[in-house]
Structures are given as structure tokens and as C-alpha cells.
């Protein structure tokens, strides 16, 4: 197994708030049920997180959605899967995201920036090649 692990060596306690079932269960996961180090953990390891993300991107690419619907699906998936919804330009493009399929730009006074709008989502340029996903 490569990368960080997100579980402890504690005995499983299904009633405990840190008991988790890895989101990557059944997809080459080595620790399907675990006691998480942090209550926000969704995966047993960084390796499982990466495997799940790659699988999910493949599923999105296989869907027969319009480019606009596909963008919304990608943003929704990325927002749900990230602890802090900052994503790289590269990860968006790799997910088959199409920037040109936006609903336009909107100025947000509270942050003093223009943001790209995709239905209920805002894509905010954060830094260099990073974007913050925000839902209205």
C-alpha cells in the first residue's frame, strides 16, 4: 500500500463515531472497515482515495451527458469528495471538465472577484492553477 493511512489499530467498534467503511470498498481496498484517525475520513488510505477518484473520473467520462450537465456532475462530485473544495486546473481538465460551457461570469462583492458560474456552482480562481468550488 502506498501513501498515508487514515486508520488506527483500534479494534472495530461499529457504534463509535470514528467507525468507517471505506468509500473504495470492493475496489482493491485493503481495509474496508476501519477506525478512522479523524472523524472526517472517508477512505482508509491515500491509495484508496486515489483509486476511487480515478474510478469515478472513468465513470463520469463514460456517461452520455451534455457538456454542461457533465460539468455540473463533475463539480458536484468534486465538492462532495474534498474536505476543502479546492481543485487544480489539471484535475478539472482530466475529469473532462469544459470551462467554455459556463453560464457566464458573476461579480461577488464579498470576495471582490469575478467567478465562473455553472448552474448553482461558482468556480472561484483561488491561486495559480487552483480553483475553489462553491455552491450558491
Amino acid at each position: 500500500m502506498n501513501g498515508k493511512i487514515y486508520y488506527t489499530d483500534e479494534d472495530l467498534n461499529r457504534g463509535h463515531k470514528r467507525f468507517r467503511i471505506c468509500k473504495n470498498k470492493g475496489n482493491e481496498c485493503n481495509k474496508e472497515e476501519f477506525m478512522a484517525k479523524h472523524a472526517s475520513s472517508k477512505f482508509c488510505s491515500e491509495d484508496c482515495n486515489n483509486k476511487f477518484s480515478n474510478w469515478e473520473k472513468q465513470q463520469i467520462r463514460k456517461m452520455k451527458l451534455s457538456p454542461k450537465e457533465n460539468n455540473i456532475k463533475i463539480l458536484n462530485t468534486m465538492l462532495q469528495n474534498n474536505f476543502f473544495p479546492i481543485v487544480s486546473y489539471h484535475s478539472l481538465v482530466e475529469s473532462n471538465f469544459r470551462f467554455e460551457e459556463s453560464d457566464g461570469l458573476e461579480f461577488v462583492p464579498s470576495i471582490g472577484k469575478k467567478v465562473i458560474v455553472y448552474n448553482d456552482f461558482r468556480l472561484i480562481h483561488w491561486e495559480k492553477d487552483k480553483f475553489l468550488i462553491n455552491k450558491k
Side-chain angles (χ1 to χ4, degrees):
M1 185 183 309
N2 299 327
K4 298 178 185 174
I5 58 169
Y6 304 136
Y7 57 86
T8 69
D9 292 330
E10 296 172 71
D11 290 336
L12 290 179
N13 177 351
R14 288 181 175 84
H16 196 281
K17 68 179 183 177
R18 287 186 296 108
F19 171 77
R20 293 288 180 271
I21 297 174
C22 185
K23 269 184 92 169
N24 192 48
K25 180 179 177 179
N27 185 24
E28 299 175 43
C29 177
N30 294 323
K31 190 87 169 166
E32 294 180 347
E33 293 184 342
F34 61 98
M35 295 300 291
K37 288 181 181 178
H38 302 284
S40 60
S41 295
K42 296 178 184 176
F43 299 93
C44 66
S45 66
E46 184 177 43
D47 190 41
C48 270
N49 189 344
N50 292 336
K51 285 178 186 174
F52 183 83
S53 293
N54 291 336
W55 173 83
E56 200 166 44
K57 288 174 191 174
Q58 288 174 345
Q59 298 307 307
I60 290 170
R61 284 188 192 115
K62 289 178 185 177
M63 288 183 191
K64 299 296 181 201
L65 299 174
S66 73
K68 196 172 203 173
E69 290 172 323
N70 192 51
N71 277 357
I72 291 165
K73 174 84 173 157
I74 291 167
L75 290 173
N76 194 43
T77 300
M78 288 183 162
L79 185 61
Q80 289 176 0
N81 288 342
N82 288 304
F83 298 123
F84 193 63
I86 293 181
V87 295
S88 70
Y89 172 83
H90 180 73
S91 67
L92 285 165
V93 170
E94 215 175 54
S95 296
N96 207 20
F97 188 84
R98 296 179 61 187
F99 283 87
E100 66 275 11
E101 296 294 330
S102 77
D103 295 326
L105 297 174
E106 175 183 301
F107 182 75
V108 179
S110 61
I111 60 171
K113 289 185 176 186
K114 284 187 178 179
V115 299
I116 309 169
V117 178
Y118 298 90
N119 200 7
D120 289 341
F121 291 94
R122 294 177 177 153
L123 202 55
I124 304 165
H125 184 247
W126 197 250
E127 63 180 35
K128 290 188 180 184
D129 71 336
K130 305 276 189 213
F131 292 89
L132 172 68
I133 302 170
N134 179 269
K135 196 163 185 179
K136 293 182 185 180

